[in-house]
Amino acid sequence: MERLLAQLCGTSTLQPLPVWEEDTTGHCFTQLVLSALPHALLSVLSVCHWGTPRSPDYNLPCSPGWRLRLTASFLLSIFPLLDLLPVALPPGAGPGPIGLEVLAGGVAAVAWISHTLALWVLAHSPYGHSRGPLALALAAFLPAPALVLTLLWHCQRGTLLPPLLPGPLTRLCLLIMQLAALLAYGLGWAVPGEPQEPWPQEPLLSEGQEPEVAEDGESWLSRFSYAWLTPLLARGARGELRQPQDICRLPQRLHPAYLACVIKTHWQEGAQLWRVLYGAFGQCYLSLGLLKLVGTMLGFSGPLLLSLLVGFLEEGQEPLSNGLLYALGLAGGAVLGAVLQNQYGYEVRKVTLQARGAVLNILYRKALQLGPRRPPAGEALNLLGTDSERLLNFSGSFHEAWGLPLQLAITLYLLHQQVGVAFVGGLILALLLVPVNKVIATRIMASNQEMLQYKDARVKLMTELLSGIRVIKFFGWEQALGARVEACRAQELGRLWVIKYLDAACVYLWAALPVIISIVIFITYVLMGNQLTATKVFTALALVRMLILPLNNFPWVINGLLEAKVSLDRIQRFLDLPNQNPKAYYSQDPPTEPSTVLELHEALFSWDPVGTSQETFISHLEVKKGILVGIVGKVGCGKSSLLAAITGELHRLRGQVAVWGLSKGFGLATQEPWIQFATIRDNILFGKTFDAQLYQEVLEACALNDDLSILPAGDQTEVGEKGVTLSGGQRARIALARAVYQEKELYLLDDPLAAVDADVANHLLHRCILGMLSHTTRLLCTHRTEYLEKADLVLLMEAGCLVQAGPPSEILPLVQTAPKVWAEDGQESDSATAQSGRNPEKTKEGVEAEESTSGRLLQEESKKEGAVAFHVYRAYWKAMGQGLALAILFSLLLMQATRNAADWWLSHWISQLKETKNSSQEAPAPTTLYSAGFLSAQLLLFSPGSIYTSVFPLPKAAPNGSSDIRFYLTVYATIAGVNSLCTLLRAVLFAAGTLQAAATLHRRLLCRVLMAPVTFFNSTPTGRILNRFSSDVACTDDSLPFILNILLANAAGLLGLLAVLASGLPWLLLLLPPLSIIYYRVQRHYRASSRELRRLGSLTLSPLYTHLADTLAGLPVLRAAGAADRFEEENQRLLELNQRCQFASSATMQWLDIRLQLMGAAVVSAIAGIALVQHQQGLANPGLVGLSLSYALSLTGLLSGLVSSFTQTETMLVSVERLEEYSCDLPQEPQGQQSQESHQLGTGWLTQGSIEFQDVVLVYRPGLPNALDGVTFCVQPGEKLGIVGRTGSGKSSLLLVLFRLLEPSSGRVLLDGVDTSQLELAELRSQLSIIPQEPFLFSGTVRENLDPQGLFEDRALWQALEQCHLSEVIISMGGLDGELGEGGRSLSLGQRQLLCLARALLTDAKILCIDEATASVDQKTDQLLQQTICKRFANKTVLTIAHRLNTILNSDRVLVLQAGRVVELDSPATLRNQPHSLFQQLLQSSQQGAHSSS
């Protein structure tokens, strides 16, 4: 190299590159170092900006500043070429050799040409608005010192003095012109000026403006340095990352719409998911293996170059150029390794996100296409949340699966170079570890699978529990069902216990094995008759540490792959479920008669493909266009199944189904109305464009105008999830309105009249079913047979078969029980007036309670901002238990101390070896440069115990007495043994602590959620609460402990390292303060955004869950309406927002990583550079330099590990924060006063059953009218009281106050003279009983549903079932232990209501409240039930909210409410005889309804 430089510069080989010549810098130094290098840098930076995307308005003219810079840059590219002419022409114009001048001029010309192109691109990009990148402008001024120094040289040489030579004079002129052009460039940059047509100046993110697109069109430099993240991180630092829309948009190839297109091209029916993913992303992913390979190889280059550099410093005989090359190689290798590893991580994450987007898209599309066999919602949510994430862990594990064995092989080869065959002893021990780890990994995996099943069960149970929370509170079952959830959780934690302790065993093996293997190798080596030396001891130790990492990680990599396989199989099973296939299901030919809309012939249907459930058989059915078909029959006879069969929601086992105009879809109103969490208008429009006239007609036809007028924001009022804030009647009417608004030809209406009163039912019949829909074909299922008098055809169903079809006059007498006229009229009475526990006055009151005046009910999910608060750390510490947490920290410190002690002992041993060597004065044996250098390198790089090694280079130590070696090895083994025990203790304690924390956090969350008031559940989507119970709990169970463990290990390692540094080499500590400041600033800048991105990630996941659950619940409706495509688009929109957060989060992590890595590389390079300078001056101590380098490497690694693990821990702690937010901040139901009086009451305090309301006032929120306004009345023990009133009169509020689901603002309620506010809630509710309007069943056995608390014997259960006419059905299902399925879906709606009645019959409560309990029951069964209720509750107090007035007419008294006040209270007969009574008006309207329909 010296010779080459001397030739180029025309100097001597002894000093090829003189820095100083005479009075100025050496010309060669100026041209090469001060001119060529800066120009090369300018060239690289310029080329990096060639790919900048154009601005949309790029054809506008540039500003004057840009034009000036472009001109100057162009001239600067011409001048160096012109400068070469006088040099090349004889006699040459100096000042240097021609080769040097051509090289410098050529580099300068190329640099400015590339810079001119870059400026042109930037001027027409968004940078055209500003001065452009600062780094690029600064780089343009870097060659200026070289120009100035050359000008000085000309002045000193007297170029302008006579005789004037043309060559030098020309060069001087060109030089001055170059400086002038550079000055003009600077002026253009300093004064950018305005463009001729002013640019529209906008704020960074104006209202509604989307942020920048990530990465696309960015330059290479920007991609490698992640400079494109600067705007995002700046927003994070300013605290402006408040919503997902603030995050940069996804690059094109990560966008869900693009991914959906990619998947569509690779997807065929019945395809294997892994083949599809491989086809779409496999090649890109596999090509990343090359990056991994190069990165792995570069990992070994560092030690080799370090050893060569230390060898160079020790020997001092090699030329300087070699040392320079080693130092440059070390720095270059570190930088290149950092960039490659970083890019590998980033690109793998991008492929993972692509696959994630694709998988979630495929899962959702599959959900939309599912046939009748559907998994429970909880299972589907777990596929979305847990399994998709575990499947994608494959991307991280696969390349490791071949990378780790490669590392292992190289390390083993190097170990063999050191200790020969002796390494086999250690290797055998290490290999024995592999099957042990394999066994552990297999056990962990099996436990993991079981844990997932328990988790599925727990999430499923929570889903059901949350959907029926109101009923659970009425019955006071929070404790019983909470205990069921806790039982599932206990099983889940049992599996987690196994996993965590097996994890601890792995951690222990990992930490303890290097020492044990080292000792085995040393003993083997000594026993083979070899002599131990310092270099051998330390090199072997370092290599063994390198050996353990791949050996120990390998089982986890395999585990990750196996976990991915398990999840892949689970997802594949879901994807293999049969699809709904309209082409195969329906006959391809339309019905034979042109006037026929629907034809079924010899058709047999079942809910499952093999026909094991109840079958529905239709021998022949033909429905003409435009007729009204009524479908009647007993409870559970198959009415709803017939409608489901027509919509294709059942399996067709045989026969034909022909539908005219199938592509137009159906108007479907299901028996259980499906309402979305949206405004009422959005629910009705259901994606169809708004037509004001049609919309008003639909509202009028469905009797919704009155309801909307009392809602706070009219039709813009948001309804809760599943319409929870509406009454049953309102839900039914909104679902009907949605169907009507869709304007279909064929309508399937499943009992929409069941939940509304006679007035409204009459209105719906005449204005809607016989009015707006009169031109369509309608199939109407109902128990209210009098409304079918106007039907054209009535079908009678029995046990799943169509037994008879004919005109109403023939069929209706077969099903009617012909009660008296008033009873018949009243039968249908009052359901929209007073519904369920969530009814119409709930409309007025309940909705208002939770809604602001804008009608928004859904509160945006709260998101904490800023750093994770200290109380979150404290909460986790407390959850773990203070004693246990302290013990963990103590064992950790003890482990680190013993590790340091072991290293110190080795150092001591080596110093003894040195003394032995000095005393024996034995001549050192010759060693090769390779062995000496490489050994010291390994030793320095990896062993913190290498403190004195290279300070005392020992090519070969003197023979040492075997007794000494035995003594040293024994002490070393003892310390190692103690260290091993401490490691084990720490691993076990940590596992125990994290398990304790996981159990405590979940228990507190569950208790608090179950004790929350009903208003909380009305305004909070289930998905949001479930997200806490699934994702956040999973994080505290598994991810958080994993990262926390790494953080603690890093922190302890750093403490140990600093202790050793401080004692061994104090001056190195001077580097720490500036390094710490830089680290602190970088990580603080990163953490500000990282935290918010993690929070937004959690926040955007909830809507994805909710949307999937919503879709599964409303699948028949949205498919019938043809809205599947719109729902898929909505899913893509939600997925895009979540992917944005995920992508930005991983990109910012890589942003941090590259900076930390480059800082480490810079520190290493600086120390190496200083070492070379000192070596030139003859000051360098090679040992200290080697030590500095080794510590620089390990220190930066530890610090970067600490920052990233701390940041990850903090982001994981967001889950703890979210759990704590619910565990601490949720409002709680007020408990009783615990007065002395209530203690004296005992359990059977309610003996009479009298009820007294004393001036009760209920206000939902200040500023709203009173829902109950001074209600005062008294009910005698055993009295039967009917409660009636129009919508919003306050009927349900009475029950809510009685059960204390809501607390009155003033007044009190007395039961047997006891003030209910003084009682514990459980004590109060256990003495009351209710039959709610909406049946609530959870998955489990019949026994568990009837008696969750396990208080009754089987005999009592069977008796209750017989009284409810359910015993036959239950016996056919397998008795009391028969499974009911999710939400009790194996029973019809009517049968579910009967089961809820059976619950009430079981209780021995003195007070029973009935809330429209028999709406979905046929009249015959209803009559029998009324008799049962009369008989069973003869001596009990019964409050009945009336929906069918005949039940009221048998009451002792009737309470009539209006606007929250009691207006009438007397016997039904007395009130009927008062001509102007409100009760009489209600009765007349119901009678008119029945008469006009018949």
Side-chain angles (χ1 to χ4, degrees), residues 37 67 83 612 634 722 883 1229 1415 1479:
L37 275 179
R67 283 206 296 277
D83 194 36
T612 51
K634 283 168 63 176
K722 299 177 186 162
E1229 288 186 309
F1479 179 68

Side-chain angles (χ1 to χ4, degrees), residues 68 72 76 141 176-190:
L68 186 57
L76 283 165
F141 292 105
I176 291 166
M177 287 162 78
Q178 275 177 291
L179 277 166
L182 204 56
L183 199 63
Y185 183 96
L187 193 67
W189 180 81

